[in-house]
Amino acid sequence: MVSCNWATSALLALLSVSSAGVHAAPQNYQPNPDPVNEKRQKLQTLVSDLVPVTRVPVTFVTINTARTLEPTFTRVPTLNTFTRVPTLNTFLTLATTRIPVTLQTLQTTTSSTLPVYTPPTTPPYGYTPPGTTTTSSSSRTTTSSSRTSSSATPTYTPVTGANNTCYNRLKIDVLQRTDPDQFNMLLLAWQKIQTSPDSDPFSHYQLSGIHGAPFIPWQMGPGSYDYSQGYCTHGSALFTTWHRPYLLALEQSLFHAAHAIANQFAPAAVRTQYLNAAGRVRLPYWDWSDPVTQSYLPPITMQQTVTVTRPDGSGNPVSASISNPIFAYNFLSSSSISVFGAPWNSRLSTRRYPDGSWNDRSNLASSAMQSGFSTRVTNTYNAFLSTTYNVFSNRVEGVHDSIHGAVGGGGHMSYVAYSAFDPIFWLHHCNVDRLMAMFQATSPGLFVTPASAVGTFARPVPPNTIDDASTDLFPFRRADGSWYKSSHLNPVSTIWGMRYGYPEVPCSYQTRTPAELDTFTTNQVNTLYGNGRTIPGTSREWNVRLLIDQAEIPGGYDIYVYGGTRPQDPYADPYGKGYVGSLSSMSMGSVDQYKQSRIRFVDISLNSYLKEYGYGQADPYKITEYIRRDLTYTIIANGKPCYFQDLYTARYAVYSRDVYDSGKSDVLPYYTSDPYYHTNVTEGYPGGIKYLDEILYPVKVDGTREVPWAENNSTRIQT
Ligand SMILES: *[C@@H]1O[C@H](CO)[C@@H](O)[C@H](O)[C@H]1NC(C)=O
Ligand SMILES: *[C@@H]1O[C@H](CO)[C@@H](O)[C@H](O)[C@H]1NC(C)=O
Ligand SMILES: *[C@@H]1O[C@H](CO)[C@@H](O)[C@H](O)[C@H]1NC(C)=O
Ligand SMILES: *[C@@H]1O[C@H](CO)[C@@H](O)[C@H](O)[C@H]1NC(C)=O
Ligand SMILES: [Cu+2]
């Protein structure tokens, strides 16, 4: 009964509500005049969710003839009463025809009823790293006497990354080509941690499990945890920063595992060679916006087996073919996955685009990715033009979300709770971290600003909680035993202290000034992603913004935008030709799980699409006219069709914005106008906005409105 979920149940609920004597249908209720939709609803009611529905793109819809009626009332699900909602009435009128009744269930599962997190009273467990110990975070000390006296106290391993000097993390293709020894040690190390016991906190299993399932504490004692989700932060200001120590934990594990293996080599000269290589082991990244390798999956990640050089029984280097640790992760046993929900409790290997027999089809993932390439580059470039850190973070997250969907294709990567088990997750996130570092380098004055909080495994949040740069990034501890905070990751030079850099924020710049780094990194951004620059001069950026309260539908759903053409069957092939971009809600992992109520939005550049179809230089009239009749939208909720007409909070808008580009390679373009929303493109279409408030001050599932967190810069801090 899913597909948009409440589309069918709302009808039933409406019946039960009216039988209870409540006004089910407000006065201005208008029957849906869209016959296709009506037919579909009937079908769904009767045949439930297995009916394949093809829907012609909507060309016009005459909903809301009562649009001019004032005031408009809408029902607030929690209160089960009618409440006056101020000002705009367009979509509220629409909303009253589709009361999200099942959302009442949601209300009981939102953060307000979650247990309040109480910090662990007993010390975390783990093992004592050399030179570090802890008693409790408030009375920690590193003196040798206390180390002795607390030796009986269970301790933890802090997340510190590699322990030697700074080395750049490399693009995986470059690593493979230019440093085969390091690459060899990386593969051996990854294989090693994939086969170490599930109980090892630094095994692939446990580290991946921090992100989502199996929802167990990692190096933390007993506490009041939210067992419905993992530690990761998505849709929040902490998205980029939380993942930084997370990646560092894997890097640390790989680094030490590589050393352990290198130490087995003989004779001494060979051992030294591989120990040196192990010292350089850093997490590689997958740049899905690279002008040369484009958005294709790195070939090595699609290869089932790989040839490595490893020590034989007496330490001599021998060549061997092993199952490729960055192609898939194989769980150790069925008990490793028995703690997962269905169907993940029967999936012994990670897969991308699995077929019916759970065979990998990474080639489909690769073509799905490539389909969005040119727009992805612009979206990536535009992220660097952000004027606040939170906007940058949200833009990168939006690009990142759709990649999870395109790579996963229903496999592990598609689901928040399981994605981190697929090794490509780490290469993907390493690139997100790299973009974060590059933004920090090019916008050194900007960083995380307060925004409404998102609850996680160790931090269930009561309403009105704020996330900011001093929010603890559980479960990661620094060398001194304190929790990581975003503030520890600013300025960008802090990454060198974690012994890594990127080619664009290189270790070699440790002795340079921030201004020199800014210039260097800006050059890189322009060279790599500035392909569409119109220089020098002012150009116009066209975007479509998609928006939804992620709590509206349980499970996961994506809104796809197509332009120029569209896949023959977007439900079967959502990333086919014509795919411009998408908003991916990132399923938690089960189809019945709601997320915390929160507005998520993405901005998708239309510039490369307009250029491709000959509208690059067209005037605004031609462009808006073209976009209006050409762009189409498809929503898939938990694998099934879903429609704007059935959604209360989903909206889209088209806006343009002027950008000035000096053409200098060491300067980024900047916005010279505010976004201008072309409501004449969207008005009258289901989901399309008529009024600005619909997109700037959108409605959430409970009927209240909120400025999306990323855009609320009332607390903007410019340092
Ligand atoms: C750094 O890590 C390596 C490999 O695990 C280890 O052999 C070495 O002792 C460590 N060095 C320090 C200073 O902790
Ligand atoms: C839509 O509105 C914009 C801005 O007012 C205008 O430039 C454009 O010509 C309009 N497009 C159409 C198709 O009416
Ligand atoms: C912006 O966020 C602050 C707290 O971070 C909150 O007090 C304020 O109401 C928000 N403003 C809007 C317009 O949502
Ligand atoms: C955010 O800040 C910028 C610059 O200070 C300002 O122009 C813009 O109106 C602000 N936006 C919001 C939503 O507060
Ligand atoms: Cu991710």
Side-chain angles (χ1 to χ4, degrees), residues 187 191 194 303-306 321-328 330:
L187 293 174
Q191 183 200 36
Q194 286 184 353
Q303 209 175 295
Q304 300 216 12
T305 58
V306 64
S321 173
I322 61 170
S323 90
N324 179 2
I326 53 178
F327 165 71
N330 302 309

Side-chain angles (χ1 to χ4, degrees), residues 620-621 624-625 628 676 678 680:
Y621 178 82
T624 48
E625 192 271 332
R628 183 170 62 190
Y676 183 91
H678 298 268
N680 54 3

Side-chain angles (χ1 to χ4, degrees), residues 211 234 239 243 400-401 404 413 419 425 428-429 432 586:
H211 199 257
H234 289 93
F239 166 72
H243 286 81
H400 143 278
D401 288 345
H404 271 277
M413 272 291 275
S419 56
F425 168 98
H428 170 36
H429 268 275
V432 171
M586 299 271 290

Side-chain angles (χ1 to χ4, degrees), residues 543-614:
N543 283 272
V544 58
R545 172 169 293 196
L546 302 173
L547 166 153
I548 192 170
D549 183 339
Q550 61 173 9
E552 182 158 359
I553 310 173
Y557 44 96
D558 298 73
I559 307 178
Y560 302 88
V561 183
Y562 301 107
T565 177
R566 83 192 234 115
Q568 213 166 23
D569 179 3
Y571 300 110
D573 180 26
Y575 299 95
K577 184 149 177 55
Y579 170 81
V580 177
S582 51
L583 179 154
S584 181
S585 75
M586 299 271 290
S587 173
M588 296 298 277
S590 64
V591 297
D592 55 0
Q593 188 176 341
Y594 282 102
K595 299 188 194 63
Q596 182 183 331
S597 172
R598 186 145 184 101
I599 297 289
R600 299 287 297 268
F601 73 84
V602 291
D603 289 329
I604 298 164
S605 173
L606 297 175
N607 280 39
S608 64
Y609 142 76
L610 287 170
K611 201 165 149 193
E612 185 179 347
Y613 290 93

Side-chain angles (χ1 to χ4, degrees), residues 79-410:
L79 305 178
N80 204 23
T81 56
F82 286 90
T83 305
R84 181 170 178 166
V85 176
T87 60
L88 300 179
N89 62 356
T90 318
F91 59 95
L92 293 176
T93 309
L94 174 61
T96 49
T97 68
R98 304 170 195 286
I99 298 165
V101 178
T102 57
L103 294 176
Q104 288 179 38
T105 331
L106 167 69
Q107 297 303 320
T108 63
T109 62
T110 48
S111 52
S112 57
T113 58
L114 291 173
V116 174
Y117 174 68
T118 41
T121 47
T122 54
Y125 62 88
Y127 48 89
T128 315
T132 313
T133 187
T134 180
T135 46
S136 80
S137 54
S138 57
S139 64
R140 83 183 92 83
T141 167
T142 52
T143 66
S144 55
S145 62
S146 80
R147 195 180 313 149
T148 317
S149 67
S150 66
S151 61
T153 309
T155 51
Y156 57 86
T157 302
V159 174
T160 49
N163 73 3
N164 50 0
T165 54
C166 186
Y167 284 99
N168 291 342
R169 292 178 176 172
L170 300 177
K171 184 170 182 282
I172 186 155
D173 325 62
V174 172
L175 169 64
Q176 197 181 350
R177 201 172 56 240
T178 63
D179 194 350
D181 281 357
Q182 183 196 156
F183 190 57
N184 186 61
M185 295 317 295
L186 175 84
L187 293 174
L188 291 176
W190 216 326
Q191 183 200 36
K192 181 174 158 69
I193 68 165
Q194 286 184 353
T195 48
S196 52
D198 288 350
S199 57
D200 176 354
F202 281 83
S203 62
H204 183 94
Y205 180 79
Q206 286 247 348
L207 291 173
S208 301
I210 293 172
H211 199 257
F215 313 125
I216 52 172
W218 186 80
Q219 298 207 115
M220 288 176 80
S224 306
Y225 299 117
D226 174 0
Y227 291 95
S228 71
Q229 58 180 333
Y231 283 100
C232 69
T233 55
H234 289 93
S236 91
L238 308 181
F239 166 72
T240 48
T241 53
W242 183 87
H243 286 81
R244 179 163 285 179
Y246 187 41
L247 298 178
L248 198 65
L250 183 79
E251 186 164 83
Q252 177 172 346
S253 182
L254 293 170
F255 177 87
H256 290 290
H259 279 82
I261 297 164
N263 263 318
Q264 295 168 12
F265 277 104
V270 176
R271 182 158 61 239
T272 305
Q273 176 194 341
Y274 284 109
L275 275 172
N276 286 340
R280 299 192 296 274
V281 165
R282 297 293 183 277
L283 203 55
Y285 62 86
W286 167 30
D287 183 359
W288 19 251
S289 297
D290 185 280
V292 177
T293 47
Q294 307 199 352
S295 281
Y296 295 107
L297 262 63
I300 184 70
T301 65
M302 301 169 66
Q303 209 175 295
Q304 300 216 12
T305 58
V306 64
T307 303
V308 291
T309 302
R310 65 181 182 194
D312 70 7
S314 41
N316 296 311
V318 290
S319 182
S321 173
I322 61 170
S323 90
N324 179 2
I326 53 178
F327 165 71
Y329 165 62
N330 302 309
F331 292 91
L332 292 187
S333 73
S334 52
S335 66
S336 311
I337 55 174
S338 62
V339 283
F340 297 162
W344 307 103
N345 54 5
S346 62
R347 310 298 197 207
L348 272 167
S349 298
T350 59
R351 287 289 178 259
R352 305 167 196 139
Y353 271 81
D355 66 13
S357 313
W358 205 245
N359 294 310
D360 180 85
R361 292 185 296 177
S362 283
N363 55 322
L364 296 188
S366 194
S367 39
M369 278 297 297
Q370 183 60 17
S371 184
F373 169 66
S374 53
T375 297
R376 183 170 294 119
V377 176
T378 318
N379 290 337
T380 303
Y381 191 60
N382 287 352
F384 287 98
L385 313 190
S386 306
T387 52
T388 70
Y389 186 91
N390 288 5
V391 166
F392 161 78
S393 179
N394 188 61
R395 286 182 176 174
V396 168
E397 185 171 2
V399 175
H400 143 278
D401 288 345
S402 64
I403 292 171
H404 271 277
V407 173

